Amino acid sequence: MGFRQGITISMTIQRFESGPRMSQAVTYGDMVYLAGQTAGTVEGTGVTAQTQEILGEIDRLLALAGSDKSRILTATIYLADIATFSEMNAAWEPWVSPDNKPTRATLEAKLAAPEYLVEIVVTAVKSAS
Amino acid sequence: MGFRQGITISMTIQRFESGPRMSQAVTYGDMVYLAGQTAGTVEGTGVTAQTQEILGEIDRLLALAGSDKSRILTATIYLADIATFSEMNAAWEPWVSPDNKPTRATLEAKLAAPEYLVEIVVTAVKSAS
Amino acid sequence: MGFRQGITISMTIQRFESGPRMSQAVTYGDMVYLAGQTAGTVEGTGVTAQTQEILGEIDRLLALAGSDKSRILTATIYLADIATFSEMNAAWEPWVSPDNKPTRATLEAKLAAPEYLVEIVVTAVKSAS
């Protein structure tokens, strides 16, 4: 078969829940990028509760973008106080897909408002369709 | 057509403006990664001015790599003082492509030199050719 | 040749050295993502020694995932104290592939334990096979 064949794979960028500054999810091809997620309810909560709420929001956004937590490649976790590392893990460990653990880095960083104790960024790929 | 066909898509890494420690931009396939950008002029400037200069530099590097701000997928913004969040947004909001907002995470982190008030990392895809 | 051809490129996620919270490396297609690497030996060491150990571990994990340091696209370096920037570079500069510098961002962040002085996250692509 002595011919060369041009291959075009359609790759478009899709953006979800865009506000004035950012989108909450962006997909390109089968890659899924989520914005840094913080908890919506912060009054009187602790790190474990905020992490649980964030992980639920990540589930929701991944579903919106055609993925799920078993398809997460990487996670970056920012804690306002690194001393709350085990409180964050108390929510993370039961949530993460047991056979599909992403890479992870956890760091201390002050977040956009002092009531935010945790922020999580994940990158995933779409679920097989 | 009962044959299987091996498919090779040529994917090379290209590196732009490489110095002793890093490259300012790296592309692979149609992905474009930029190094963390800080302002060149820092004497007597504030966060808004530094952010404007950084965003101009991002425009320049994206063009060099065959992309533009409408094709940014993700942005990570580091502020030396998170209290300058709205000063940073004062430069970000008029700059970001209105119909093409990337995901974003904004964090406080001390940067490589104390005069740097902002550092921004973006990932993009090449513009359709 | 008046036919259209469905193209399926097999893309699976592989995970390496998975523990209760994360995997140390995850690959998807030819992309390679490493978890944030910290030094194993921290007693009485400094930033240069910890960085050297981390870079050796990155070499090991990249090899495991089918890549090597000449194929790194991006690096993010977190220092517990940004004043150790040049101590980190003293290990980084002789290590990084001279003709293949990745993009880089270096930030100060407290890490998961106070004895960790450096943490490095890299993204790479598999070596040509």
Side-chain angles (χ1 to χ4, degrees), chain A residues 22-92:
Chain A
M22 74 191 85
S23 300
Q24 290 304 311
V26 172
T27 63
Y28 177 66
D30 54 1
M31 293 297 295
V32 178
Y33 305 90
L34 298 195
Q37 298 300 311
T38 49
T41 310
V42 292
E43 292 288 322
T45 61
V47 168
T48 305
Q50 287 198 14
T51 305
Q52 285 169 333
E53 188 182 343
I54 289 165
L55 296 173
E57 186 66 3
I58 287 174
D59 284 329
R60 186 186 70 78
L61 288 166
L62 289 176
L64 190 67
S67 182
D68 66 84
K69 69 183 174 185
S70 75
R71 306 281 288 173
I72 298 176
L73 301 176
T74 71
T76 308
I77 301 175
Y78 303 98
L79 295 170
D81 180 357
I82 197 70
T84 63
F85 188 68
S86 59
E87 291 174 60
M88 174 276 292
N89 278 322
W92 174 267

Side-chain angles (χ1 to χ4, degrees), chain A residues 1 5 7 9 13 15 18-26 28 33-36 78 109-112 119 121, chain B residues 5 7 9 30-31 70-74 82 85 89 92-93 96 100-108 125:
Chain A
M1 306 294 290
Q5 194 167 6
I7 292 165
I9 297 175
I13 301 171
R15 301 174 190 275
S18 297
R21 296 170 187 160
M22 74 191 85
S23 300
Q24 290 304 311
V26 172
Y28 177 66
Y33 305 90
L34 298 195
Y78 303 98
K110 274 199 209 171
L111 305 172
E119 179 160 346
V121 178
Chain B
Q5 196 168 4
I7 292 164
I9 297 176
D30 53 2
M31 293 298 296
S70 75
R71 306 281 287 171
I72 299 176
L73 301 176
T74 70
I82 196 71
F85 188 68
N89 278 321
W92 174 268
E93 292 191 21
V96 72
N100 303 284
K101 307 266 174 56
T103 66
R104 201 180 83 164
T106 305
L107 310 146
E108 178 175 300
V125 294

Side-chain angles (χ1 to χ4, degrees), chain B residues 29-83:
Chain B
D30 53 2
M31 293 298 296
V32 178
Y33 305 90
L34 298 195
Q37 297 301 310
T38 49
T41 310
V42 293
E43 291 289 322
T45 61
V47 169
T48 304
Q50 288 199 13
T51 305
Q52 285 169 334
E53 189 182 343
I54 289 166
L55 296 174
E57 186 65 4
I58 288 174
D59 284 330
R60 186 186 70 79
L61 288 166
L62 289 177
L64 190 67
S67 182
D68 66 81
K69 69 183 174 185
S70 75
R71 306 281 287 171
I72 299 176
L73 301 176
T74 70
T76 308
I77 302 175
Y78 302 98
L79 295 170
D81 180 357
I82 196 71

Side-chain angles (χ1 to χ4, degrees), chain C:
Chain C
M1 306 292 290
F3 63 91
R4 282 186 166 274
Q5 195 167 4
I7 291 164
T8 304
I9 297 176
S10 169
M11 297 287 270
T12 55
I13 301 171
Q14 281 191 281
R15 300 174 191 275
F16 300 85
E17 300 190 0
S18 299
R21 296 170 187 161
M22 74 191 85
S23 300
Q24 291 304 312
V26 172
T27 64
Y28 178 65
D30 54 2
M31 293 297 296
V32 178
Y33 306 90
L34 297 195
Q37 297 301 310
T38 49
T41 310
V42 292
E43 292 288 323
T45 62
V47 169
T48 304
Q50 287 199 14
T51 305
Q52 285 169 333
E53 190 182 343
I54 289 166
L55 295 174
E57 186 65 5
I58 288 174
D59 283 331
R60 187 187 70 79
L61 288 166
L62 288 176
L64 190 66
S67 182
D68 67 81
K69 68 183 174 185
S70 76
R71 306 282 287 171
I72 298 176
L73 301 176
T74 71
T76 307
I77 302 175
Y78 302 98
L79 295 170
D81 180 356
I82 196 72
T84 64
F85 188 67
S86 58
E87 291 174 58
M88 174 277 293
N89 279 321
W92 174 267
E93 292 191 21
W95 176 83
V96 71
S97 174
D99 296 326
N100 303 284
K101 308 266 174 59
T103 67
R104 201 181 82 164
T106 304
L107 310 146
E108 178 176 300
K110 273 199 210 170
L111 304 173
E115 58 269 30
Y116 295 138
L117 307 176
V118 197
E119 178 161 346
I120 303 180
V121 178
V122 303
T123 302
V125 295
K126 289 184 187 171
S127 305
S129 55

